[in-house]
């Protein structure tokens, strides 16, 4: 059942590279004076894990951590799953 996910991620990566876009790897934080902080994360998950639930959980944990460290608005947390590993 993971074949479509793997194919999708490789397709997205290939399309991005074809248009000259480079994806971030790891963690990227952007701060806008008007909007606040936006977080971009890319990560690999283990085969068999629930992708949607895991991504939502990561968003929740990151949001709670940032809210405990700063008073700034968190206006987005984008989690990109780049690979499925054994």
């Amino acid at each position: 059942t993971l074949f479509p996910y793997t194919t999708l991620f490789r397709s997205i990566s290939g399309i991005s590279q074809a248009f000259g876009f480079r994806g971030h790897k790891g963690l990227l934080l952007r701060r806008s004076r008007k909007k606040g902080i936006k977080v971009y994360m890319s990560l690999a998950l283990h085969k068999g894990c629930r992708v949607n639930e895991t991504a939502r959980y990561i968003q929740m944990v990151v949001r709670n951590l940032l809210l405990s460290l700063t008073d700034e608005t968190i206006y987005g947390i984008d989690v990109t799953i780049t690979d499925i590993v054994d």
Side-chain angles (χ1 to χ4, degrees):
T1 60
L2 290 176
F3 178 74
Y5 289 118
T6 305
T7 303
L8 174 65
F9 298 134
R10 287 186 184 140
S11 297
I12 290 171
S13 176
I15 291 168
S16 298
Q17 289 174 1
F19 286 103
F21 297 120
R22 291 186 184 154
H24 64 281
K25 293 190 179 201
L27 177 67
L28 175 66
L29 299 173
R30 293 221 168 149
R31 184 173 173 260
S32 166
R33 292 178 196 215
K34 293 180 181 178
K35 294 181 181 179
I37 297 173
K38 185 158 186 179
V39 180
Y40 300 88
M41 298 179 69
S42 62
L43 49 95
L45 296 180
H46 286 282
K47 187 188 296 187
C49 75
R50 295 179 176 167
V51 175
N52 290 336
E53 291 87 355
T54 303
R56 279 192 215 111
Y57 180 75
I58 291 167
Q59 285 177 320
M60 180 191 68
V61 169
V62 170
R63 179 177 300 280
N64 290 339
L65 177 65
L66 287 174
L67 290 173
S68 73
L69 297 173
T70 183
D71 293 330
E72 291 197 50
T73 301
I74 312 302
Y75 76 94
I77 300 174
D78 291 345
V79 176
T80 303
I81 310 303
T82 57
D83 201 3
I84 303 292
V85 296
D86 290 327

